[in-house]
Amino acid sequence: MSGMLHIVPTPVGNLDDMTFRAIRVLKEADLILAEDTRTSAVLMKHFDIRTPMRSHHRNNEHRAVEGLVEEILGGKDVALVSDAGTPGISDPGFMLARACRDAGVEVECLPGATAFVPALVGSGLPCDRFVFEGFLPLKKGRATRLAELAAERRTVIIYESPLRLARTLRQLAESFGPERQAAVCREISKLHEETRRDTLAALSSHYDANQAKGEIVIVIAPAEKGADRHDD
C-alpha cells in the first residue's frame, strides 16, 4: 500500500505557533525531509520528535525527487518541512508535491505558519485582493518586473533579505513612486517583531540609515484607479 506525502508548516519564529496536528504527523511519519537538518533538529528536540531526518533542499531536490516518490509508493509516510513556514512558499517543496501528484501519491498539506499572511493583515493595507511575488529577480528581469508591479491594482507582497532591503526600497520608490504607502515587517512572531508603515520614500530613508535584521516582508499598497495596468 502506498504511503503519503505530508507537507508540514513549521513556526516562522515563536515555537508556540506549532500545531498539535503538525507534531503528531511528524512523530508518526517514517521519514522527515528537512531543508536543513541542523535547523530542524532544534524544533524536533523541543517537541521530542525522534523520526529520522534527511536533507531535502534546492541543491539536491532535482535528483532526489524520483527516489522519494518510489519510497512513498513503497509504503513510506514522508513529512516535508522547511527551515520555517510552509514548504513550497519561497522554499523547496513544489517539485516533490508535483511529482507525487503525477504518480498518484496522496499529498496532504497541513494549514499553518507562513510569513506573508500576518505581514499583510497586520500592515493595515488592503488585504481583500493581493499578489504574492516572493523574492524579486536579483538581476535579469528585475527592472521589468518592478515596472509591471508598479501598476498592480492589488496589494503587492515581496520577500527580501535584510542586506538587500535598503537597495530594494530605493528601487521600489523609483518604480512605484515615493509617496506609495508600504509596510516593512520583520521578525514576525519573534521577540523583536516590528512593522513600520510609511511612504516608500520614508521607508527607504529609514533603512538607509538603519541596518535591518531578521526576515523581511514588504507589503505595498495597490496602484490607485487610473494608473496604467499591465496585461496579465
Side-chain angles (χ1 to χ4, degrees):
M1 184 177 178
S2 174
M4 287 180 61
L5 172 66
H6 307 268
I7 300 174
V8 183
T10 55
V12 297
N14 193 321
L15 294 183
D16 287 345
D17 294 336
M18 190 74 167
T19 69
F20 293 120
R21 183 181 174 194
I23 295 169
R24 177 182 59 79
V25 168
L26 291 174
K27 285 185 174 182
E28 293 177 355
D30 298 307
L31 173 68
I32 295 172
L33 301 176
E35 186 177 5
D36 187 325
T37 55
R38 294 166 299 180
T39 299
S40 294
V42 176
L43 181 74
M44 304 308 161
K45 182 178 180 181
H46 182 82
F47 291 107
D48 193 30
I49 298 168
R50 304 182 184 185
T51 306
M53 282 195 294
R54 187 187 303 169
S55 293
H56 185 78
H57 46 72
R58 296 191 190 283
N59 295 328
N60 72 1
E61 62 177 337
H62 286 81
R63 62 179 181 271
V65 162
E66 184 177 348
L68 287 167
V69 171
E70 290 299 320
E71 288 186 66
I72 299 170
L73 286 170
K76 186 172 286 187
D77 278 338
V78 174
L80 174 67
V81 300
S82 60
D83 288 349
T86 301
I89 304 297
S90 295
D91 280 323
F94 162 70
M95 291 183 61
L96 181 57
R98 179 181 61 184
C100 284
R101 289 290 188 191
D102 290 346
V105 170
E106 185 176 355
V107 177
E108 173 189 68
C109 184
L110 278 63
T114 190
F116 77 82
V117 173
L120 169 64
V121 176
S123 70
L125 295 169
C127 54
D128 54 334
R129 297 174 67 242
F130 61 90
V131 55
F132 173 68
E133 186 66 18
F135 288 95
L136 291 168
L138 292 180
K139 294 181 180 179
K140 185 178 181 181
R142 185 179 178 92
T144 299
R145 193 70 191 119
L146 284 169
E148 292 171 343
L149 291 171
E152 178 60 65
R153 295 286 294 279
R154 296 168 292 181
T155 299
V156 176
I157 305 167
I158 294 170
Y159 282 172
E160 191 51 280
S161 81
L163 296 177
R164 295 192 298 263
L165 177 62
R167 169 177 171 262
T168 294
L169 287 170
R170 286 195 299 272
Q171 293 174 334
L172 288 169
E174 292 169 0
S175 298
F176 288 59
E179 297 306 309
R180 183 80 68 93
Q181 285 286 312
V184 173
C185 312
R186 65 179 191 87
E187 295 289 77
I188 292 170
S189 86
K190 297 179 183 178
L191 180 62
H192 300 292
E193 179 176 352
E194 176 189 61
T195 296
R196 182 174 291 273
R197 164 88 179 268
D198 213 321
T199 65
L200 283 170
L203 291 170
S204 176
S205 295
H206 175 80
Y207 288 105
D208 268 334
N210 300 275
Q211 173 65 52
K213 295 181 180 180
E215 301 297 321
I216 306 291
V217 184
I218 306 171
V219 185
I220 310 160
E224 294 181 359
K225 292 181 179 180
D228 292 336
R229 296 188 66 175
H230 65 272
D231 293 329
D232 292 330

